[in-house]
Amino acid sequence: MVVEAAVAVEGLVRRYGEVEALAGIDLRVPGGALFALLGPNGAGKTTLFSILTTLRRPTSGRARVLGLDVVRERSALRRRIGVVFQEPALEQKLTVRDNLLLMAWLYGVGGRIARRRVEQVLDRLDLTAVAGRPAAKLSGGQKRRVELARALIPQPEVLFLDEATLGLDVDARRSFWVHIRQLAASGTTVFFTTHYMEEAEVAQRIAMIDRGRVVADGSPTALKARIGGGVIWLNTADDAGACDWLLARGLPAERAQHGVLLVDPAPAERLPGLLTELPFKVLRAEVHEPGLEDVFVKLTGRGLDNDAATGSESGVQVGWRP
Amino acid sequence: MKGSLAVVALDLKRLWQDRVRLISSLVQPLLYLFVLGSGLGANSTLGGPDYLRFIYPGVIGLTLLFTSVFSAILIVFDRQFGFLKAVLVAPLSRVGIAAAKVASGALQALVPALLLLLFAPLIGVHAGALGWLELIAAMTGAAVTFSALGVAVAARFNSTVVFPVIANAVLLPMFFVSGAMFPLTGTPRWLQRLAYFDPVAYAVDLMRGALLGQRYFPVWLSVIVLTAFVLGLGWAAARVFAAGEDA
Ligand SMILES: Nc1ncnc2c1ncn2[C@@H]1O[C@H](COP(=O)(O)OP(=O)(O)OP(=O)(O)O)[C@@H](O)[C@H]1O
Ligand SMILES: [Mg+2]
């Protein structure tokens, strides 16, 4: 038996006039997976998300969710998915509970069943205490949890989230992800977009997207294994010169926005030699295990964020000043 | 169906929470009626009291027109930041969404318009029970037409700043041409011709006919024109909702 993927995308192209937001996306998300679409601003995440959630049409190519075509079978599909948008989609003046009740009605569920379902979801997301408050009077983290609750009211088989934790502090983000992980553990397929690589790390599978193309696809471990060994990050007085110098010596250096990246099987042994030989003033040198950001930089030559530092989760910083 | 009712319920709840807006939407029509009406009436060939009675249905039309079209501005806002996105991913038919939005706009407009009926004794309008019923039916038809206009236009806009500007630019001429403030008979030919293209003219005419028995258009024509407007505009709105974020 062929198991239908939860999400299957083939040759998906989407243009906005001249702008090609998606330039031919191919993607398969297995059912029950926690899946991350990771990419920098403007990569095309929201565009793909909107097509998969039936809010936009592709220019060409096909996409199926739960085996249903997102264009031709969109009405049937809408019953079976839940959606958390990048922007708030709550009625600010209504209470949390009323927002959720309204949502149940929208899906044709009313009366006692609706009320019971609302209370269940409130309880599951630790929102019972704020259920009587207007949505406008919640903290950022609570608001996002209510958005999640709203998306869960229809009891979706696939949950789509677009940068769901944007603007939340670390604590709020962590508590949000606890809930998402529980959901995934209970069998719901979760498809989320993010440009935080720590967030993508929780996924079983990640697709990295850049300028409308998937540049890499696989489990976090498999993606990081592409780099192998470890990573050396260098900031020098002349990064371009340093990169050329390394390349001239046959080392696989990459020039990124905020420094030079060098993948090496044994970075800790390599670094001291480099520091003495490199004919440029070194401002900063760092060795760490490869992170997703390193993979992204390696594949695209650019970082996920302009302001983010390197993507190490177990970074060994070698503070070094000449 | 249940889904559409949910959309209407939400809008009515918001109207209730926004009672100040409701009351303030009565200010403009009362100014037209008692200030402009008294001033113009004193110099009208109809004579003061008759002129007030004449414009009374026109002022009800004004209230319905502006309140229903401006209540549609919430759609523009909701598309960006509000519940509309959640509605668009829900399994409601797009026609159902458009119908719900039209109905809720019409209901929101009918509330202040019905409040205006309380001023009827002051103006000396006396219609029989049947006349009042006919008036309320005509008001409902007018409210649905104007609301459909608002929804069809608002569904296309992304800017809450541009929408009121456009709305005013379209609504005021429609109101002036409609013959709400003066009898169309006896106006220049071009104005009379223009009125044939103005749904407000038919709506006001139906209401005036119900109250005063004076009509410019045959009833059947008004009913057909207004129905055609509602269906056409409602369909256009449903199309826009079907386009989702691509609208
Ligand atoms: N409505 C639109 N009209 C024209 N161009 C658009 C529109 N929406 C997005 N784009 C363009 O398409 C590209 C992809 O945008 P998209 O919003 O999908 O990216 P994203 O990955 O979600 O970015 P972010 O992380 O900033 O949310 C960008 O170049 C963007 O400018
Ligand atoms: Mg986005």
Side-chain angles (χ1 to χ4, degrees), chain A residues 1-274:
Chain A
M1 203 184 99
V2 181
V3 179
E4 185 71 62
V7 177
V9 177
E10 280 167 39
L12 202 68
V13 174
R14 170 63 209 226
R15 285 190 205 97
Y16 298 104
E18 294 287 288
V19 182
E20 192 166 58
L22 300 178
I25 299 270
D26 293 291
L27 209 59
R28 279 180 81 77
V29 179
L34 184 52
F35 179 90
L37 185 68
L38 176 66
N41 289 131
K45 300 182 297 294
T46 299
T47 304
L48 179 56
F49 166 91
S50 304
I51 291 174
L52 294 178
T53 55
T54 76
L55 287 178
R56 283 192 191 277
R57 310 258 176 119
T59 306
S60 66
R62 295 203 326 159
R64 288 173 166 276
V65 175
L66 294 164
L68 298 168
D69 189 284
V70 295
V71 179
R72 278 182 293 109
E73 296 165 297
R74 55 186 184 277
S75 311
L77 177 57
R78 285 180 183 135
R79 294 209 161 273
R80 297 172 60 187
I81 59 173
V83 185
V84 178
F85 299 97
Q86 190 169 342
E87 297 87 20
L90 293 174
E91 187 52 45
Q92 299 296 325
K93 285 184 184 170
L94 285 192
T95 64
V96 171
R97 184 176 277 116
D98 284 351
N99 263 289
L100 300 186
L101 261 180
L102 198 63
M103 195 66 191
W105 293 349
L106 276 183
Y107 283 76
V109 179
R112 204 179 304 150
I113 303 176
R115 263 173 282 142
R116 193 178 323 128
R117 204 183 277 187
V118 167
E119 295 310 319
Q120 273 167 2
V121 171
L122 284 170
D123 182 51
R124 184 145 133 213
L125 296 184
D126 302 326
L127 287 167
T128 310
V130 295
R133 259 196 245 169
K137 302 219 163 117
L138 300 176
S139 74
Q142 289 167 333
K143 275 186 193 159
R144 294 315 291 180
R145 282 216 307 281
V146 178
E147 299 270 1
L148 177 59
R150 191 181 52 65
L152 294 181
I153 289 289
Q155 303 183 324
E157 292 161 65
V158 183
L159 178 67
F160 288 95
L161 305 124
D162 193 12
E163 312 234 10
T165 61
L166 204 64
L168 295 191
D169 64 29
V170 178
D171 272 351
R173 251 198 264 172
R174 196 167 294 147
S175 103
F176 190 86
W177 282 103
V178 167
H179 294 294
I180 298 290
R181 280 221 285 269
Q182 277 169 5
L183 265 171
S186 67
T188 309
T189 307
V190 180
F191 181 113
F192 67 95
T193 78
T194 182
H195 66 259
Y196 296 125
M197 52 94 214
E198 324 80 89
E199 265 185 15
E201 206 80 55
V202 307
Q204 281 134 16
R205 288 174 65 88
I206 299 172
M208 290 186 172
I209 174 175
D210 184 42
R211 301 180 198 195
R213 285 174 208 283
V214 174
V215 293
D217 182 3
S219 69
T221 329
L223 285 174
K224 285 184 270 187
R226 287 191 175 204
I227 286 205
V231 175
I232 299 173
W233 271 98
L234 291 173
N235 285 104
T236 67
D238 177 5
D239 285 344
C243 188
D244 289 341
W245 185 86
L246 290 164
L247 287 171
R249 264 150 201 80
L251 296 172
E254 296 275 342
R255 175 94 171 79
Q257 266 159 5
H258 42 274
V260 179
L261 171 85
L262 179 65
V263 172
D264 195 277
E269 280 105 81
R270 164 88 62 191
L271 187 61
L274 273 186

Side-chain angles (χ1 to χ4, degrees), chain A residues 38 195 197-198 201 208 224 227 233 258 261 290-300 302-306 308-312:
Chain A
L38 176 66
H195 66 259
M197 52 94 214
E198 324 80 89
E201 206 80 55
M208 290 186 172
K224 285 184 270 187
I227 286 205
W233 271 98
H258 42 274
L261 171 85
L292 289 170
E293 173 122 10
D294 302 316
V295 180
F296 192 84
V297 170
K298 178 102 180 80
L299 291 168
T300 65
R302 294 182 303 125
L304 280 165
D305 244 341
N306 296 336
T310 56
S312 58

Side-chain angles (χ1 to χ4, degrees), chain B residues 163-181:
Chain B
F163 178 75
V165 178
I166 301 286
N168 271 322
V170 175
L171 296 189
L172 276 177
M174 281 174 75
F175 175 68
F176 290 153
V177 170
S178 72
M181 300 299 286

